Amino acid sequence: MASSGRTKVVHVCSECGASHPKWAGRCAGCGDWNTLVEDVETSGSSTQPAAPTNRPGPQLIADIGTDVGRPVSTSISELDRVLGGGFVAGSVTLLGGEPGIGKSTLLLQVLAAASGPTLYVTAEESAQQVKLRAERLGATQRELWLHAETSLPHIIDAIEETKPQLVVIDSIQTVNDPALGSLPGSVGQVRGCAQQLVNIAKERNVSIILVGHVTKEGSLAGPRVLEHVVDTVLQFEGDRHHALRLLRASKHRYGATNELGLFEMATVGLVGVPDPSSMFLADRRTGIPGSAIVPTMEGQRPIVVEVQALTNPGVPGVPSRRSAQGLDGGRLSMLMAVLGRRSNITVSDQDVYASTAGGVKLSEPGLDLGVCLAAVSAIRNQPLPPDLAVFGEIGLGGELRQVGHASRRLSEASRLGFSRVIVPTNSPDAEDDLQLLRSATLSEAIAAAGLVGDASATGLRVI
Ligand code: TYD
Ligand code: MG
């Protein structure tokens, strides 16, 4: 009865892709408000993405070769770090980020650094625009194919014609397949096109990277559904006013998701930051109250950062302000509450502003002690010693708790020239000539930092 290609109007959530027969203010799938948009759904076999034809039947696990599925290095070490070695042949990666953050720049550099033929499909900019950018980046590799196209069948033809090992689709939201029926840019289109590209990637063993825009709220516009379809989801973040860019994986079928890649946007494109600690400490001025140095961990990577705090007496009768930049605001409020209750420092009448220097966003419990000591240092208007670093998680009881990778944090602090570190009591011994100031509680740490009472009693001299 239902002939192939029959269409019906549905309402699809632009956030999660759930389809509803009637419009509603709230999506029943994800609970978001005002996300349903009208779309056309085509029933019938003609619009179903073709299943890959070369999929093998059941195999014994011992018989399955693992040579395929090994990552191929991109020659961009910060990207390789996040991907756990590089892109895997046949995988599909979604790269999300706000407009202007540098997605196209990064991917052009990836293709230019690849050894074999690669294809850059530009569905937003003209081929000339991309060529000009490539020239500026010195990315005019001979085997880099450019194709300005938005129609999926033509893109698939181009993949078959140029036989690339790496394909970039910039962006997936602007690609459309006329056979799908729904409007270009709709959830149905984005999902359908991505599914077909996934099939192509698996069939031809080619790595495909899809660029996806994010909405103001920071989620991938529309294709949250894409996150299930692709193998890897990368997020490219950063503050447009800073040159620093952070690359993280939020989903990765081929490895860990906790690695952080750091880049700087320069005139020659994105340049990796192999020594972020030195970069974050470059502008540091010692002897200023409200600054604490914390060896923090991002994945397997220790990074020494400066946490800053500024306090100001609040307006009587108005709840005091807690403002965090680069740190979690809720965590800051909690830490200030613990500081007020579990030490003899009064913070309830102070507005507290805390931030990480350099525009990096961090959320890691090891930062807790740094945030508290920076605030105490600001309140007392007394700087911490310049050679002192601190780390540790603070519990609601005011106790200082151990955090992961203590040894690596200590080595990084030592490498950067710090000679004393306030640590939780059960931290491992430091290998080098680093002096560990073990503290069981926040109050002990405040004393160890020389911020309470007689500084000479702790053996520390505050300058
Ligand atoms: P782009 O890669 O176009 O961002 P996206 O694809 O995420 O929208 O990069 C945009 C910004 O990067 C642009 O505002 C200019 C800047 N930029 C540089 O600073 N240096 C460079 O070498 C290039 C190519 C871009
Ligand atoms: Mg772009």
Side-chain angles (χ1 to χ4, degrees), residues 385-420:
D387 64 337
L388 178 75
V390 307
F391 69 83
E393 178 179 358
I394 291 173
L396 292 177
E399 75 280 15
L400 194 56
R401 293 167 169 259
Q402 186 56 281
V403 285
H405 304 286
S407 306
R408 301 179 76 167
R409 295 174 197 254
L410 292 172
S411 320
E412 182 72 354
S414 166
R415 181 180 77 81
L416 287 146
F418 293 92
S419 52
R420 288 175 288 186

Side-chain angles (χ1 to χ4, degrees), residues 5 26 40 66 80 89 106 128 202 303 333 335 391 433 438 450:
R26 188 176 190 208
V40 184
T66 48
D80 283 355
L106 177 67
Q128 285 76 14
K202 308 286 175 224
I303 303 178
S333 302
L335 291 172
F391 69 83
D433 49 356
R438 297 175 189 274

Side-chain angles (χ1 to χ4, degrees), residues 98-105 133 136-137 265-269:
E98 282 178 23
I101 209 77
K103 302 180 294 296
S104 306
T105 307
R133 177 184 292 150
R136 230 161 5 103
L137 296 170
M265 183 59 99
T267 44
V268 288

